[in-house]
Amino acid sequence: CHLIHYLRLSHHLIVLNYLICTFDKLKSVSSEDINITDAVFDGVEVRVFEPPAKQDGRLKRSVVYIHGGGWALASARTSLYNNLCRIMAESLNAVVVSVEYRLVPEVCFPEQFHDALRATKHFLQPDVLAEYSVDPSRIAISGDSAGGNLAAAVCQQLSKDEHLTIRPKLQALIYPVLQAFDFNTPSYQQNMNMPVLPRYVMINYWIDYFNGNYDLAHSLLINNHTALDVGQALSFRGRLNWTSLLPSSFKKNYKPVVQTTGKAEIVQQIPALLDVRAVPLLAENETLQLQPKTYILTCENDVLRDDGVMYAKRLENAGVEVTLDHFDDCFHGCMIFTIWPTDFSAGVQTRNSYIKWLDENL
């Protein structure tokens, strides 16, 4: 993919997504019990998973799900996410709306956020919920990885919308990516070369999401963009101090990487690095206090582990009821790997725990 990008034959993410979708067509995942339809919610494509109607006419629970893939890869229609959403719909007897937001490089931030927000707000309209026989008081918003980022950002935005009459009851975030402030948290240092999502790949996803320049990657890696002399970052520093937000079992013996002098021009070129719609972990306490009951799943072998743990702690400090579901032997992305040839026990283990929490709380 990097060779393709270098030769300018196409954007490497377009090629990679093409390969993923081509491979995915070799698999077939279907269900006789769940009705799967494609729709458009306020201009945004979605896939809806509906269990059969019960004779007692009771309204159903619902989950708005936002898929991962670095804001650039995968789809609500791939078998991995199709399978996850189908199993959620079956297990919870819930209507699952899987959002097919537009991807990098077709669009960059904030368009993915706007797509997810528009689709969710459309679904939360009383007449739309009635069309799908959904109980307005039993709706969750959820997502994994970059989808967890979008789910958290959308949930924050919805909580501040005074015109909304219906809001999510829960949010459930699966190994979410929540900040681009510090690429040297203990989990980033510990798992910097971990397969699936090494640190340099996550930094490149951020650069692509912000339509930035790859030449900035090294400066981001050593936290030059949030050095002590970068005034724009100063007010956010206290909101992401992992030395106080992480338990000692996660901090281990790692040391903070804080540059005295850095490059303020990075934030000037990419102001979205400090935009809470892109980095929900930097939200102010007043916004966090408005968040619904929250579930956050983290994995030990994941650069993003500490993003989720710090968000859980900040939400808890703000008075939100939080369940942090940590897996010592699991890795980033594992929850969707439940279909041959990538059917891992870690995927089934995390998926079952996630669905169990939803079933008990939604």
Side-chain angles (χ1 to χ4, degrees), residues 49-63:
F49 300 75
E50 295 178 84
K54 287 192 172 182
Q55 292 183 346
D56 58 14
R58 284 188 299 172
L59 297 177
K60 295 183 176 64
R61 303 181 283 190
S62 184
V63 179

Side-chain angles (χ1 to χ4, degrees), residues 23-300:
F23 174 76
D24 190 72
K25 290 176 182 175
L26 301 176
K27 307 179 202 174
S28 177
V29 179
S30 59
S31 172
E32 295 180 359
D33 299 323
I34 300 297
N35 183 36
I36 303 174
T37 58
D38 292 324
V40 177
F41 285 1
D42 192 17
V44 181
E45 295 181 13
V46 298
R47 173 159 284 193
V48 184
F49 300 75
E50 295 178 84
K54 287 192 172 182
Q55 292 183 346
D56 58 14
R58 284 188 299 172
L59 297 177
K60 295 183 176 64
R61 303 181 283 190
S62 184
V63 179
V64 175
Y65 195 85
I66 309 174
H67 72 80
W71 308 283
L73 303 174
S75 163
R77 298 186 178 97
T78 57
S79 62
L80 294 173
Y81 285 107
N82 209 74
N83 185 57
L84 172 63
C85 292
R86 176 182 58 80
I87 289 174
M88 288 168 59
E90 288 178 343
S91 302
L92 300 169
N93 188 39
V95 175
V96 177
V97 176
S98 188
V99 181
E100 184 78 327
Y101 58 91
R102 291 168 296 165
L103 302 174
V104 170
E106 177 193 354
V107 298
C108 299
F109 175 82
E111 296 310 315
Q112 286 84 349
F113 165 77
H114 287 320
D115 284 358
L117 180 62
R118 287 204 314 274
T120 304
K121 288 183 72 172
H122 177 88
F123 183 62
L124 291 177
Q125 295 179 100
D127 57 332
V128 178
L129 296 178
E131 178 185 346
Y132 289 100
S133 300
V134 168
D135 185 339
S137 66
R138 303 180 75 188
I139 301 167
I141 182 165
S142 183
D144 65 295
S145 193
N149 168 282
L150 294 170
V154 166
C155 212
Q156 288 184 5
Q157 188 65 33
L158 294 176
S159 72
K160 296 184 288 186
D161 190 334
E162 298 178 354
H163 301 292
L164 272 186
T165 57
I166 299 170
R167 303 177 192 277
K169 179 184 181 182
L170 310 170
Q171 66 173 336
L173 312 177
I174 314 303
Y175 31 75
V177 49
L178 297 170
Q179 59 90 22
F181 192 93
D182 185 355
F183 291 109
N184 289 275
T185 62
S187 62
Y188 264 113
Q189 295 186 55
Q190 173 184 317
N191 300 298
M192 65 173 66
N193 296 313
M194 187 63 62
V196 179
L197 190 63
R199 177 168 62 173
Y200 79 92
V201 170
M202 189 63 245
I203 289 174
N204 283 343
Y205 277 137
W206 276 116
I207 291 172
D208 285 322
Y209 187 36
F210 294 148
N211 197 25
N213 191 319
Y214 289 125
D215 292 341
L216 299 176
H218 179 70
S219 287
L220 292 172
L221 186 148
I222 61 174
N223 290 343
N224 268 344
H225 61 304
T226 54
L228 294 176
D229 66 337
V230 178
Q232 303 98 311
L234 196 59
S235 62
F236 293 100
R237 187 167 299 282
R239 302 178 192 177
L240 204 157
N241 179 6
W242 62 256
T243 61
S244 62
L245 292 172
L246 294 179
S248 57
S249 59
F250 289 162
K251 287 188 286 191
K252 301 181 173 68
N253 293 318
Y254 292 104
K255 305 298 181 186
V257 175
V258 181
Q259 306 294 348
T260 304
T261 57
K263 296 183 177 180
E265 59 268 26
I266 297 175
V267 177
Q268 292 167 4
Q269 291 178 38
I270 313 178
L273 285 163
L274 300 177
D275 189 324
V276 294
R277 297 174 301 168
V279 286
L281 186 50
L282 296 185
E284 58 188 10
N285 288 334
E286 290 77 7
T287 298
L288 298 186
Q289 291 170 359
L290 301 174
Q291 300 316 295
K293 189 174 183 179
T294 299
Y295 170 92
I296 299 177
L297 186 151
T298 56
C299 298
E300 180 67 20

Side-chain angles (χ1 to χ4, degrees), residues 11-29:
H11 195 290
H12 65 286
L13 290 171
I14 293 176
V15 175
L16 184 54
N17 216 24
Y18 173 79
L19 294 174
I20 290 171
C21 293
T22 299
F23 174 76
D24 190 72
K25 290 176 182 175
L26 301 176
K27 307 179 202 174
S28 177
V29 179

